[in-house]
Amino acid sequence: MSGSHATVTDRLLVGVSGSIAILNLPTYLVALQATFAKEVRVIMTVGAAQLLSPSTVALLCDEVLLDEKPTAQKKPGHVELANWADVFLVLPASANILGQVANGLAQNLLTTTIMASPKPVIFCPNLNRTMWSKKAVQRNLRTLAEDGHLVVEPEQAPAYEVGTGGVADTLVLPEPAVLIRHLENLLQQIGEDSVAAEK
Ligand SMILES: Cc1cc2nc3c(=O)[nH]c(=O)nc-3n(C[C@H](O)[C@H](O)[C@H](O)COP(=O)(O)O)c2cc1C
């Protein structure tokens, strides 16, 4: 899907987990390809693939990778994917993914690729307010930051809640344009930190 427009990064890897915010993933993928990344590969967890069809996601990016048994057809594995990415984003990040990574677990393609990533991973969590306020979740977020990862905090806005089946003020991913601004700031921060570390 490589375009000729100016972008921030060449190769973006997006890990997608099983959060309701996946319903907006197509909008984010279009926005990311319009202004942020030339090539986009997506890893979907089993939970994500149950909420949004991987064949729909495949229409909107360069490649979709799923948890699959080894087959005769060669597919890029976790190490190749991790090394390929200039920027590695988890969007949306479920409570489960935050917990798995904070505890050093790597039981599927997404968490294994995060484990193999030579660069910090940027998590964009989407949890309801009660989940977000849990001590375990906040502890996991602190651990991720201590381990060098980055988190784009959710924002308060009205949105559909699966639990109640209604629209309520809740925590959501920042709008695509706002999220991309956050990403640009974080990448600048990572760049400045790595320059400082080399000195
Ligand atoms: C319809 C639906 C919506 C969900 N939304 C969320 C959510 O917004 N955030 C979250 O952390 N978990 C959510 N879950 C729960 C996760 O899908 C579940 O914890 C799953 O194990 C996550 O797996 P994964 O992290 O491997 O994708 C939702 C589940 C369903 C069925």
Side-chain angles (χ1 to χ4, degrees):
M1 296 234 170
S2 315
S4 55
H5 45 266
T7 47
V8 175
T9 187
D10 284 345
R11 297 187 296 264
L12 173 67
L13 185 58
V14 183
V16 178
S17 59
S19 147
I20 190 66
I22 198 172
L23 299 182
N24 296 325
L25 181 69
T27 313
Y28 284 87
L29 289 177
V30 170
L32 285 165
Q33 283 170 108
T35 58
F36 188 77
K38 283 197 186 120
E39 204 180 335
V40 178
R41 280 166 144 180
V42 172
I43 301 175
M44 295 179 82
T45 64
V46 170
Q50 283 168 351
L51 294 175
L52 183 67
S53 164
S55 55
T56 303
V57 179
L59 298 171
L60 300 162
C61 66
D62 294 280
E63 188 172 14
V64 175
L65 297 132
L66 303 167
D67 277 297
E68 282 167 331
K69 295 196 182 98
T71 60
Q73 201 188 359
K74 193 173 167 356
K75 291 251 179 162
H78 54 286
V79 173
E80 186 179 341
L81 289 167
N83 290 335
W84 171 85
D86 294 325
V87 179
F88 190 176
L89 191 64
V90 182
L91 178 143
S94 64
N96 178 58
I97 286 292
L98 302 176
Q100 296 263 336
V101 179
N103 287 285
L105 302 178
Q107 63 167 21
N108 60 32
L109 181 61
L110 177 55
T111 47
T112 315
T113 308
I114 293 170
M115 186 67 90
S117 174
K119 300 196 181 74
V121 176
I122 305 174
F123 291 86
C124 305
N126 189 88
L127 325 177
N128 80 16
R129 194 178 293 285
T130 310
M131 292 169 85
W132 180 255
S133 64
K134 280 283 147 72
K135 282 189 177 168
V137 169
Q138 291 303 317
R139 189 166 59 237
N140 289 336
L141 289 164
R142 278 197 303 278
T143 304
L144 291 173
E146 281 164 21
D147 289 351
H149 295 301
L150 299 152
V151 176
V152 175
E153 301 250 333
E155 292 182 349
Q156 188 171 315
Y160 178 75
E161 285 199 311
V162 192
T164 57
V167 174
D169 232 12
T170 185
L171 294 175
V172 295
L173 298 176
E175 293 282 320
V178 177
L179 182 102
I180 288 170
R181 274 207 303 280
H182 282 313
L183 295 180
E184 287 169 358
N185 289 338
L186 288 175
L187 291 180
Q188 203 175 350
Q189 189 188 314
I190 299 172
E192 282 165 8
D193 289 350
S194 58
V195 170
E198 278 165 21
K199 281 186 183 164

